Structure formats: structure tokens, C-alpha cells
Amino acid sequence: MSSSTPDFAAFRREKQQNADENLIKLLTDFEQWLGPNTNLREKVRAKHIFAEKVKINVDEVDQPGWSVFFEDWFAFDYITVIGTHLFDMFIKKQADKLSAPELQLAGLVMTSVLEPLQIKENHDQLLETESLQSGERKTVSLLPKSMFSIDVKEEWLLVRSVYCGFQHRIISNPAPLELTDFILPLTPPLETERSRQLTSMKEHGLLWLRQKK
């Protein structure tokens, strides 16, 4: 390749790496902020809401099969007593400490939702999927060195993903779903307006965990 010819593949790799690093830093900073800034009464309230929505006993919430999904919902989707999300609160209080790329990614994380995806193809952990709710096709993948894993033998996964760089990156532990005989009313109503649709999905996405394997 001529030295004067732009190497677009290298450019994409570098941009993807930078975006991944910014997202990892943002999520790590949020995790470190969340612990000391979590009100214990708020978390007890959240556990009761989670248990009621998912149809389990509240003492099951802290068990290994459920705790990781509760912590994700609590961090990103739970509405506090003052009417906000904890991630949104973090961004508001830490905005002056975040870089411009991190703030851009923060906006995408704020609107991220739990979404049931059907795995159509697997290309070495790059999953070609289709959304049950919107019918949208998207390729999702884990962040580099992610603590999560994907069981590609599953047909359905409940996933929270964020468009980062050039890829939809999974930022929560994927939950395998049993949707062969799922109940149609569990499907959150889709609104014509995109913003209303996202609000509906953010509010009701938790209900899909009733179908967790």
C-alpha cells in the first residue's frame, strides 16, 4: 500500500480501541462511584421492586443466579425516590471530570435498555442478532477483557448494549431467555415516537427476566 494512501482499516481499529477504552473507563469510574454513593434504604426498596417485577422472593435477589442482573438494573434502570437513575446522577455530579468522548458515550449509556435479542449467527463472539421488539438487526460483542461471557448455544439473550466506535458493545451480563412459549403481554408496548419507545423499554425491560432460564 502506498504511503500516501490512507489505511482505513488501521484508522477504524485505532478509533475502536480508543472508544472501547473510553467506555471501559466511564463504566469503571461509575462502578467506583456507585458503592459509596448508594443509599442502603434505596437499595432495599429497589430489591423489593425487582423481586415483585421478576416474580421471585426478595431473599433470592442476592443469590448468584439473580444478583448480577439486579445490580445492572439497579445501576442503570431503577428510578430513585427523587425520580432519577443512578447513572444519570453520577454523570450530573461528575460531568466536569469526564472527557468529551466519555460524555458522548454517557449519553448512549443513559438511554441503554434491556433488550431481548435472537442470535442469528456467531462469528467468533461477534453475534449477528435480531431484536424481538423492533426487528432491528445488529451485531453485538463484548468489550475487550470483559468480565462477562456469552453462551452462543443460546437462541435468545437479554442484553444491554451501547454503540461504541463502530460496534454495539455489551455492557451487562447477558441473560439466557426461554421464549418458546413466552407470554405476549410481557412485550413492552412499542410507541411510534422513538423517545417514548426507549422510555417504555427502559421501564419494562426488567419484565423479560421472568423468562430467564
Side-chain angles (χ1 to χ4, degrees), residues 7 12 16-17 50 101 119 139 142 154 157 186 199:
D7 188 342
R12 286 176 65 93
Q16 185 64 57
Q17 180 179 348
F50 181 91
I119 299 177
T139 302
L142 296 170
E154 299 292 347
L157 294 174
L186 285 179
T199 300

Side-chain angles (χ1 to χ4, degrees), residues 32-43:
Q32 293 173 348
W33 175 91
L34 188 60
N37 289 278
T38 296
N39 182 292
L40 293 181
R41 289 185 179 179
E42 191 89 68
K43 197 160 191 177

Side-chain angles (χ1 to χ4, degrees), residues 79-119:
I79 300 176
T80 68
V81 293
I82 62 172
T84 188
H85 299 106
L86 292 169
F87 183 79
D88 299 17
M89 190 182 301
F90 161 73
I91 296 302
K92 183 177 180 179
K93 292 186 176 183
Q94 303 292 312
D96 60 336
K97 300 178 182 179
L98 301 176
S99 66
E102 288 174 323
L103 286 172
Q104 291 178 343
L105 287 167
L108 298 176
V109 175
M110 284 180 179
T111 58
S112 65
V113 297
L114 291 171
E115 184 178 20
L117 301 178
Q118 184 178 30
I119 299 177

Side-chain angles (χ1 to χ4, degrees), residues 46-65:
K47 287 180 180 180
H48 280 84
I49 293 174
F50 181 91
E52 179 182 0
K53 294 284 188 182
V54 180
K55 303 297 185 185
I56 61 175
N57 295 323
V58 70
D59 58 357
E60 295 181 71
V61 175
D62 289 325
Q63 295 180 5

